[in-house]
Each structure stands twice: as structure tokens, then as C-alpha cells.
Amino acid sequence: MAFSADELRVLRRALAVALHPAPLADADVQDCLRLAGSVDEATREASRLHAFLLADLARYRTALPGSAPGYLELLQDALAAGYDPQPDDLMALRSLRAHPVAAALLERCRRLAEQSVRTRLAAATPGPRTRLLAFPGGRAAADDRKPAPAPKPTPKAEPQPKAPRPIPTPGEVFPPRRKPTPPPAARAAG
């Protein structure tokens, strides 16, 4: 973002007033409001331009491989402006790997995507859990409070132990197999 000489003069006066508070003339207030409006308009224009470039990049990506030179140039510009490569960009660059510029961009995009994922994971990971040591009323209030004594349990009559159940032997559980007997007709013939 570039400021004109007049805008820099207004900005310098506003910063001086912020550091050393003093009453401002009405003309100075109006100049500051105009500068704030100009900065807001430039910010809106930058976000519109960013959205347009991303849409243009997507159009070129869908028209691949015929639009490879334009896509690669737009992707380089977007990366220079702080664009985080998307999975679609990585797939498109893999398909264009034979092109030397695409191969170099693929390696750069892989590093940027990995760094972006690491940054997001680090931001999403909560810090170490700490114990809460402060109580309402301060530490003295916590020391004054004593825990109520626990009620003593009443003795219950213990149940009589049951007679242990005998454990069956394997012969009882799995009876021995009997040899098959021949049919009665075979016995009579012999």
C-alpha cells in the first residue's frame, strides 16, 4: 500500500497526537477521517483483487494441461503474495511434472503445504494443562475452609460363605468316546 505525500503528512500528525495527546483542530480530524476512509477502501480493493486472482487461478487449473504456462505464472504470483497451495494445486503440478518450472513449483508447494499444516496443528494443540490454584476469596479463604469429616460406615453383617462348588474333571465334562459297534447283519454272517 502506498501513501501520497499529503496522506503521509496526515499520518505523521495522527501518530504524533497518539504519542503525545493534544487537542486536534477540526481540519486535522477531517484529514484523519479521510485517510481512514482511503485505507479502508484500499483494503476492500485488495481483498477483491485477491478473490479475483484466486478465481482466475482456479479457472486456469481446470483448463490444464492446455493452460500450463498461464497457470504456472499465476501460481508463482499467488505464492509470492502469500497464497497457501491447495491439494488441487499439488495434483495439477504433479500432472505437469515433466515441465521444469512445474517440477520446481511442485517442490516449493510441497514445502509450503507441509509448513502450513504444521503451523495449523501447532495452533490447534492446546498448551500443557495446569492446576487451578486460585479460589474465590484468595488462598486464605481456601485454608479457612476445612473439609467436612466423612461419615463412618456402619458395619454390615457379613454374608456366610457358600460351599465351594466342586470343579468338574475333564472326564466328567468330556466323556470318553466309545468305539462304534458293527451293524447287527455283519455279526450274523460271521
Side-chain angles (χ1 to χ4, degrees), residues 14 20 23 26 32 45 59 74 81 85 95 100 105 114 120 151 154 163 184:
H20 305 287
D26 289 339
C32 287
E45 185 61 32
R59 279 192 296 275
L74 278 175
S95 69
L105 271 175
E114 182 178 324
R120 282 183 278 157
T154 58

Side-chain angles (χ1 to χ4, degrees), residues 75-147:
L75 184 59
Q76 285 176 333
D77 292 344
L79 291 173
Y83 172 70
D84 278 336
Q86 304 299 312
D88 293 339
D89 295 315
L90 294 172
M91 285 189 329
L93 288 171
R94 282 188 197 108
S95 69
L96 299 171
R97 207 178 323 198
H99 195 281
V101 174
L105 271 175
L106 176 61
E107 189 57 36
R108 180 177 174 194
C109 286
R110 278 184 185 160
R111 283 193 313 269
L112 288 173
E114 182 178 324
Q115 181 182 3
S116 175
V117 167
R118 288 180 191 271
T119 303
R120 282 183 278 157
L121 284 175
T125 305
R129 294 182 59 115
T130 58
R131 293 187 152 285
L132 181 63
L133 298 176
F135 294 101
R139 188 171 272 195
D143 292 339
D144 291 342
R145 286 185 289 158
K146 293 183 180 177

Side-chain angles (χ1 to χ4, degrees):
M1 183 179 295
F3 292 106
S4 69
D6 287 335
E7 290 172 334
L8 282 176
R9 180 182 50 80
V10 171
L11 186 59
R12 189 174 299 129
R13 268 188 300 172
L15 289 174
V17 168
L19 291 174
H20 305 287
L24 280 177
D26 289 339
D28 291 340
V29 171
Q30 292 303 320
D31 289 342
C32 287
L33 290 175
R34 270 195 300 277
L35 178 63
S38 296
V39 169
D40 289 342
E41 183 181 343
T43 304
R44 284 190 302 270
E45 185 61 32
S47 55
R48 278 194 298 268
L49 179 62
H50 183 71
F52 172 77
L53 289 176
L54 291 181
D56 208 20
L57 185 65
R59 279 192 296 275
Y60 273 82
R61 187 174 44 235
T62 57
L64 285 174
S67 64
Y71 173 71
L72 295 175
E73 184 180 333
L74 278 175
L75 184 59
Q76 285 176 333
D77 292 344
L79 291 173
Y83 172 70
D84 278 336
Q86 304 299 312
D88 293 339
D89 295 315
L90 294 172
M91 285 189 329
L93 288 171
R94 282 188 197 108
S95 69
L96 299 171
R97 207 178 323 198
H99 195 281
V101 174
L105 271 175
L106 176 61
E107 189 57 36
R108 180 177 174 194
C109 286
R110 278 184 185 160
R111 283 193 313 269
L112 288 173
E114 182 178 324
Q115 181 182 3
S116 175
V117 167
R118 288 180 191 271
T119 303
R120 282 183 278 157
L121 284 175
T125 305
R129 294 182 59 115
T130 58
R131 293 187 152 285
L132 181 63
L133 298 176
F135 294 101
R139 188 171 272 195
D143 292 339
D144 291 342
R145 286 185 289 158
K146 293 183 180 177
K152 294 183 179 180
T154 58
K156 294 183 181 178
E158 293 185 21
Q160 294 296 327
K162 294 183 180 178
R165 188 172 154 193
I167 299 173
T169 63
E172 294 172 341
V173 174
F174 305 106
R177 295 180 105 194
R178 295 196 175 133
K179 294 182 182 179
T181 58
R187 275 194 251 157

